[in-house]
Amino acid sequence: MLLIIIAVNLSGCVKIETKRYEASFLDLFDTITTIVGYAEDKEEFTDHAQMIHDKLMEYHELYDIYNSYDGINNIKTINDNAGVSPVKVDQRIIDLLKFSREAYQLTDGKVNEAFGAVLSVWHQYRTEGLDNPDKAEVPPMEILKEKEKHTDMNNVIINENESTVFLADPDMRLDVGAIAKGYAAERVCEYAMEHGFANGMLSVGGNVRTIGRKLDGGKEVSWSVGIQNPDLESAQTNLYILGLSDYSLVTSGVYERYYTVNGKQYHHIIDPDTLMPAEYFLSVSIVCRDSGMADALSTAVFNMPFEEGLKLIESLENTEALWVFKDETMKSSSGFENYIKK
Amino acid sequence: MKSKRIAIYGLLVALAFLLSYIESIIPLPIPIPGIKLGLANLVVVTGLYTMGGKEAFILSIIRIVLVGFTFGNLSTMMFSLAGGFLSWFLMVLLYRTKVLSITGVSIIGGISHNIGQILVAVWVVSNVMLLYYLPFLLVSGAVTGTVIGMLGAVIVKRIRKYDF
Amino acid sequence: MIKKNDVILLGTILLLAAAAIIFINIRKTDGSRVVITIDGEEYKTLDLNKDTTLTIEVAEGAYNTVTVKNGEVDMTEANCPDKLCVKHRKIHYNGETIVCLPHKVVLQIVGGEESEADMIAK
């Protein structure tokens, strides 16, 4: 287990003396995962953190598109068998794909699980561009257009009775990067809550899901979750601090993963319509209960003009958003202010 | 009486210039923007004991403005004014109560001079961490205050001897 | 020239100052450290109150340079592909981290000043 650090904060509690602990892992979803929780002692917390880590690891392996694991059919297995044969998979993969389909319909195709063919081109060019910055290139539009022909969601054949997934188009690839972290975090939080994890917080690469409340010196208060300032060098770390309890906060931003070609930055969120990195905003943050939905919406809304995104957010219950435009001005949905912590 | 007062003013302002110059060539061990030792407080202490509170105030302002234009700039003058006001106010207060001698009054003056300056510095730099320097400034204020108080006592005695 | 009260005053002030200095120093050594871990293994802990620069050879040809200055920690150099850790701003709040994912290097503040936010969504 990759337990990096356990930070202890004294935090008196009303009934029993519980302390606040924190653990971080680097081996999940190619990012940093942080768990915050309360326990009477380090052992008890380590048990909880280990449970959450192990559960997340299962999801990590199932949803991985780059690596294979012994005895597991994962999304890479489905991709490898595109046009060849249906692959029998864990129910959790089918659930994710079904969830992704809901998100596809809700966002008018702005998140698409079948968009892997295009994304893999960008991934390849970005990786090469980072390894060799002098020779970094933008993928030629002809290649992207060619790959776009293989992104039709209807060619993902899910057979629930047989528990199989089949890609009918041999050149099609699944990529669940836009939703997998949030979706997995949501499922694992539910699992952890059923197993006695009543108050805490889970951040999978900055996708934050809060559980219960913070026990702050005998008082119960909502968790304070900051929204990253897209200007990473600014002394002001957070744009806002939101008070959240059982809610999720996910931000998609240009600063997360990008490479540079001729002085221009190309980030990793690709608009399915233009096949290029979306250029509307510096970042979009979504607040809602379900962390999977927050993850999907943050990507989708990032790929939409402001008016369209605002309309979508306002149509959803208990869902708010904050847009940061390229000139660093901000706009937010009607109920966003209610979450801002004084 | 009037001419004596003018003479003392002139004498003390000249002394303030001299002390400010000395101060400007002594480097402080901790570099804090706008913070100075406050040696020139000597003239305010002396003024207070030879002429009175109002005169000490006028002396303090003249000294800060003149010396500020000569050795500093507007922003350092702001620090000095803050330190000067606070220090003058507390010194007059304690001078009237007669609980302390000139040395004690001068110590209070030295410390409050530094406190005033650091408060402005905290406000300007908007960094509360500067307050960590406060204990060191207390010590330096107390030490300069003691020295100034003893010197002041000597000067006051000499000025009083010349009863023009 | 010097009254008894003056001596009492001077003594009180010096005592107060000494107490404050001792208090500050105790607090300083108690908290404010940065723990450096490489691939989950604790590598080194640096005191935030001592300005220093440390270059870590993570693996052959892979390095990260950590700089502690004025109570803040910064990753000033690294030869990782994305350089996200170098672009990260300086940190000093309790629990704040700078992560170099490619090199599996994590800098985490322990015992520093409390941040307003428990977690940051990014």
Side-chain angles (χ1 to χ4, degrees):
Chain A
M1 168 175 168
L2 253 180
L3 186 60
I4 290 171
I5 200 129
I6 296 209
V8 190
N9 279 323
L10 281 174
S11 164
C13 180
V14 215
K15 296 165 207 147
I16 348 152
E17 250 334 271
T18 57
K19 282 184 205 153
R20 180 171 162 183
Y21 293 89
E22 193 172 320
S24 298
F25 308 93
L26 283 179
D27 56 346
L28 298 163
F29 295 103
D30 296 318
T31 187
I32 181 160
T33 297
T34 306
I35 301 164
V36 175
Y38 297 93
E40 282 175 56
D41 53 38
K42 195 169 159 177
E43 282 69 40
E44 189 193 331
F45 177 74
T46 310
D47 286 349
H48 274 148
Q50 186 73 56
M51 170 182 81
I52 292 171
H53 170 270
D54 293 351
K55 217 60 196 159
L56 278 170
M57 184 53 98
E58 292 176 20
Y59 283 93
H60 165 79
E61 293 181 351
L62 287 172
Y63 297 166
D64 199 333
I65 61 170
Y66 300 114
N67 306 293
S68 301
Y69 302 92
D70 279 347
I72 296 176
N73 284 344
N74 64 6
I75 297 205
K76 182 175 188 293
T77 324
I78 300 174
N79 282 340
D80 292 345
N81 286 287
V84 182
S85 68
V87 177
K88 198 166 173 60
V89 293
D90 191 288
Q91 182 62 31
R92 283 172 286 185
I93 289 183
I94 292 179
D95 289 343
L96 175 76
L97 295 180
K98 282 167 68 187
F99 174 76
S100 168
R101 211 155 269 200
E102 277 171 42
Y104 181 89
Q105 267 143 21
L106 185 69
T107 63
D108 209 13
K110 291 289 184 183
V111 257
N112 180 358
E113 73 197 35
F115 205 55
V118 173
L119 292 179
S120 68
V121 175
W122 275 103
H123 183 264
Q124 185 198 337
Y125 274 75
R126 185 172 63 242
T127 312
E128 286 170 8
L130 287 170
D131 284 344
N132 205 342
D134 299 332
K135 294 201 176 119
E137 283 180 55
V138 180
M141 195 39 94
E142 308 87 72
I143 296 184
L144 295 172
K145 287 269 191 216
E146 168 55 33
K147 296 285 182 188
E148 192 198 7
K149 291 178 189 158
H150 308 288
T151 58
D152 183 358
M153 173 80 105
N154 295 314
N155 283 327
V156 184
I157 318 287
I158 301 173
N159 185 334
E160 284 208 60
N161 295 330
E162 304 273 324
S163 289
T164 60
V165 179
F166 176 56
L167 304 183
D169 178 345
D171 292 319
M172 165 176 274
R173 294 292 177 270
L174 293 176
D175 187 325
V176 291
I179 52 170
K181 288 196 298 248
Y183 184 82
E186 184 64 31
R187 294 285 86 82
V188 172
C189 280
E190 283 168 8
Y191 176 85
M193 285 157 83
E194 285 162 18
H195 289 77
F197 195 78
N199 296 292
M201 206 167 17
L202 175 64
S203 163
V204 183
N207 292 245
V208 181
R209 166 68 152 93
T210 59
I211 299 172
R213 286 161 166 271
K214 173 162 78 164
L215 313 174
D216 193 1
K219 287 187 309 239
E220 286 198 19
V221 295
S222 53
W223 292 102
S224 300
V225 185
I227 294 180
Q228 172 76 46
N229 186 343
D231 180 2
L232 297 185
E233 284 164 36
S234 165
Q236 189 199 346
T237 317
N238 302 301
L239 296 174
Y240 289 106
I241 291 176
L242 307 187
L244 302 178
S245 174
D246 292 326
Y247 266 69
S248 302
L249 177 61
V250 177
T251 299
S252 282
V254 296
Y255 51 81
E256 291 172 272
R257 273 175 204 180
Y258 63 82
Y259 73 119
T260 310
V261 183
N262 295 327
K264 186 173 159 46
Q265 290 182 358
Y266 291 85
H267 62 80
H268 74 301
I269 309 169
I270 307 300
D271 184 338
D273 294 333
T274 63
L275 309 183
M276 297 291 286
E279 300 247 21
Y280 303 110
F281 317 106
L282 289 179
S283 75
V284 170
S285 302
I286 305 287
V287 187
C288 69
R289 277 195 177 269
D290 187 298
S291 144
M293 190 47 84
D295 203 1
L297 283 174
S298 75
T299 306
V301 173
F302 191 88
N303 283 330
M304 290 177 192
F306 170 69
E307 291 72 23
E308 200 184 326
L310 182 66
K311 220 175 111 192
L312 170 63
I313 295 300
E314 299 291 1
S315 74
L316 300 170
E317 247 178 72
N318 296 327
T319 305
E320 303 297 340
L322 175 78
W323 290 261
V324 183
F325 293 86
K326 290 189 129 186
D327 59 359
E328 294 186 19
T329 56
M330 292 181 267
K331 281 188 179 160
S332 58
S333 56
S334 56
F336 180 80
E337 276 181 23
N338 301 335
Y339 293 96
I340 296 174
K341 209 165 195 175
K342 291 291 164 311
Chain B
M1 189 63 201
K2 208 183 167 203
S3 58
K4 180 190 174 186
R5 205 171 270 189
I6 292 169
I8 297 179
Y9 270 135
L11 185 80
L12 291 179
V13 170
L15 185 59
F17 263 98
L18 184 69
L19 292 172
S20 297
Y21 173 68
I22 294 173
E23 190 171 87
S24 72
I25 54 174
I26 302 175
L28 268 185
I30 13 177
I32 311 169
I35 300 294
K36 290 181 304 186
L37 267 179
L39 290 180
N41 205 32
L42 172 59
V43 302
V44 183
V45 175
T46 312
L48 179 65
Y49 275 84
T50 49
M51 299 187 291
K54 201 177 82 195
E55 288 77 2
F57 182 77
I58 297 167
L59 201 59
S60 177
I61 299 294
I62 294 177
R63 148 186 108 74
I64 288 167
V65 173
L66 287 184
V67 169
F69 277 125
T70 318
F71 297 105
N73 51 42
L74 268 178
S75 83
T76 57
M77 215 177 340
M78 189 165 69
F79 289 103
S80 300
L81 278 174
F85 273 129
L86 189 65
S87 140
W88 168 81
F89 178 75
L90 290 177
M91 285 200 296
V92 170
L93 214 66
L94 283 162
Y95 168 66
R96 301 243 161 102
T97 62
K98 305 219 185 296
V99 184
L100 299 168
S101 79
I102 184 167
T103 310
V105 169
S106 165
I107 290 172
I108 289 295
I111 293 169
S112 50
H113 181 83
N114 288 350
I115 291 176
Q117 291 191 79
I118 196 124
L119 287 182
V120 178
V122 167
W123 178 61
V124 169
V125 191
S126 54
N127 184 350
V128 186
M129 297 300 273
L130 277 183
L131 286 180
Y132 278 129
Y133 293 118
L134 199 56
F136 299 97
L137 291 172
L138 280 182
V139 175
S140 88
V143 173
T144 15
T146 312
V147 175
I148 285 172
M150 289 164 141
L151 274 174
V154 176
I155 297 173
V156 168
K157 219 164 96 191
R158 303 237 161 145
I159 288 180
R160 276 186 184 151
K161 249 184 9 196
Y162 299 103
D163 203 5
F164 305 82
Chain C
M1 187 163 106
I2 296 179
K3 286 190 191 172
K4 195 179 154 203
N5 284 345
D6 297 344
V7 181
I8 296 173
L9 176 73
L10 188 64
T12 317
I13 290 162
L14 291 180
L15 262 172
L16 262 176
I21 290 169
I22 291 168
F23 176 71
I24 286 171
N25 278 324
I26 287 175
R27 268 192 49 175
K28 269 186 175 174
T29 43
D30 245 349
S32 301
R33 282 163 293 135
V34 56
V35 178
I36 304 169
T37 47
I38 301 170
D39 202 3
E41 299 284 316
E42 195 169 320
Y43 171 77
K44 203 165 188 164
T45 300
L46 300 176
D47 189 341
L48 283 201
N49 300 298
K50 279 182 200 133
D51 291 0
T52 164
T53 300
L54 175 71
T55 297
I56 310 159
E57 175 117 15
V58 183
E60 209 174 302
Y63 72 88
N64 289 66
T65 303
V66 182
T67 301
V68 178
K69 206 178 169 199
N70 300 330
E72 294 187 309
V73 183
D74 196 13
M75 192 83 90
T76 39
E77 254 186 277
N79 61 349
C80 55
D82 57 13
K83 301 262 194 306
L84 283 180
C85 54
V86 179
K87 282 171 197 132
H88 200 287
R89 63 174 195 290
K90 301 180 183 95
I91 55 170
H92 71 282
Y93 285 125
N94 190 17
E96 264 193 311
T97 53
I98 296 180
V99 182
C100 177
L101 209 54
H103 290 173
K104 302 251 182 233
V105 176
V106 178
L107 314 179
Q108 177 158 29
I109 306 289
V110 176
E113 196 186 334
E114 279 306 320
S115 157
E116 278 178 274
D118 301 311
M119 195 75 97
I120 297 169
K122 49 191 164 191

